[in-house]
Amino acid sequence: MSPRPPRAERLQKVIARSGLASRRVADSMIQDGRVIVDGQTAIPGQRVDPVRAEVLVDRVPLPVDPGLVYYLLHKPLGVISTTDDPHGRTPVVDLVPPLPKVYPVGRLDADSTGLLLLTNDGSFANLIAHPSSGITKTYEVLVRGNPSRADLSRLRHGVELADGPAVPVAVRRIGAATGRSHLELTMAEGRNREVRRLCAAAGYPVIRLHRVAIGALRDRALKPGEWRNLEVTEVRAFHRARKVHHGGTPR
């Protein structure tokens, strides 16, 4: 039996199904030359295969494949950022729908909590995970000790670790108590236990670590173990952030 030919659909219907705009608005976008399909400016009435087509609106990628999913999860304590575990610990994929099969983007250690993305979109996962994209991760960290202003300044300038220098994008104190401090650290990389090693090397061991943001994405309403679908505008915001980081000029 010959392979089934791709199913083409009207472009405005594909855009509307993504959630970006209504069919009428999508049609106006196409007529105004704001939509590009596979490198060519789209034309009214054009039909595309949503699984294979690369669609850009205002020069920013728009996911149109109906099979792609993007989950934002609040990872609880003790859950591991893998798809399975031979030691019987709970993997993050057990907290989201079993189908379609998804993978965590990056990782949070079992003893860390906070926001984690899961998806079956490999290109999107690479965008989030690769340092060259400029997608930062922000953590609220409870540490032992009360670093002085000079200590925080040294922390901002980075610490040499065994696998190279660790330099935060930003560091600030957000609270303090006797013998403990709450810090907020923003990192450009996601090396193994980097924040914990950085703070320990500076003399302030981590007691608790919680990721509060991935890029500009925050969601304090999600409780531990809860998840939600990303809005299409949130997915596109990551693509837009990458373009800006690389000197692009999204309209």
Side-chain angles (χ1 to χ4, degrees):
M1 181 181 291
S2 59
R4 185 177 178 180
R7 181 178 178 183
E9 300 179 72
R10 286 190 176 274
L11 180 56
Q12 62 264 44
K13 177 182 177 182
V14 170
I15 294 173
R17 187 174 57 220
S18 76
L20 181 65
S22 67
R23 287 198 195 188
R24 181 180 61 80
V25 173
D27 191 53
S28 295
M29 290 175 169
I30 296 168
Q31 293 186 46
D32 292 343
R34 296 169 57 191
V35 182
I36 296 173
V37 177
D38 296 332
Q40 300 294 322
T41 302
I43 59 174
Q46 183 171 346
R47 302 178 73 88
V48 301
D49 174 9
V51 175
R52 300 180 182 178
E54 180 187 63
V55 178
L56 279 68
V57 177
D58 295 333
R59 301 188 181 278
V60 177
L62 173 68
V64 294
D65 182 347
L68 296 179
V69 294
Y70 308 85
Y71 301 140
L72 179 66
L73 170 74
H74 182 156
K75 190 193 86 64
L77 195 67
V79 175
I80 60 170
S81 302
T82 60
T83 56
D84 56 58
D85 181 59
H87 304 293
R89 294 173 296 179
T90 301
V92 288
V93 293
D94 282 5
L95 304 181
V96 297
L99 294 175
K101 189 173 183 179
V102 295
Y103 301 87
V105 181
R107 59 176 292 157
L108 278 173
D109 299 313
D111 51 355
S112 300
T113 62
L115 300 183
L116 184 70
L117 292 169
L118 299 96
T119 185
N120 58 354
D121 184 341
S123 296
F124 180 77
N126 290 335
L127 165 71
I128 301 299
H130 203 284
S132 67
S133 297
I135 307 298
T136 60
K137 285 84 177 175
T138 303
Y139 304 85
E140 288 182 359
V141 186
L142 178 64
V143 299
R144 233 176 240 112
N146 297 112
S148 65
R149 288 186 178 181
D151 292 332
L152 291 177
S153 179
R154 283 193 291 272
L155 199 58
R156 291 186 188 101
H157 284 86
V159 173
E160 188 69 34
L161 301 178
D163 55 351
V167 184
V169 174
V171 178
R172 68 186 183 102
R173 192 198 313 270
I174 56 177
T178 303
R180 296 181 174 187
S181 293
H182 268 105
L183 307 179
E184 184 183 83
L185 280 78
T186 300
M187 308 296 294
E189 294 183 289
R191 286 146 57 189
N192 185 38
R193 299 179 73 83
E194 183 179 20
V195 173
R196 292 180 182 275
R197 292 188 293 133
L198 169 66
C199 292
Y204 300 98
V206 171
I207 301 169
R208 188 169 63 245
L209 186 149
H210 180 74
R211 184 189 283 165
V212 296
I214 303 171
L217 180 63
R218 295 175 180 257
D219 192 330
R220 294 191 180 273
L222 278 181
K223 296 180 174 59
E226 291 184 343
W227 64 274
R228 68 170 175 85
N229 286 289
L230 287 190
E231 301 288 340
V232 65
T233 52
E234 293 173 322
V235 176
R236 278 169 49 83
F238 283 112
H239 288 285
R240 189 181 296 275
R242 181 184 185 278
K243 287 178 66 68
V244 171
H245 178 72
H246 285 271
T249 54
R251 293 183 295 180

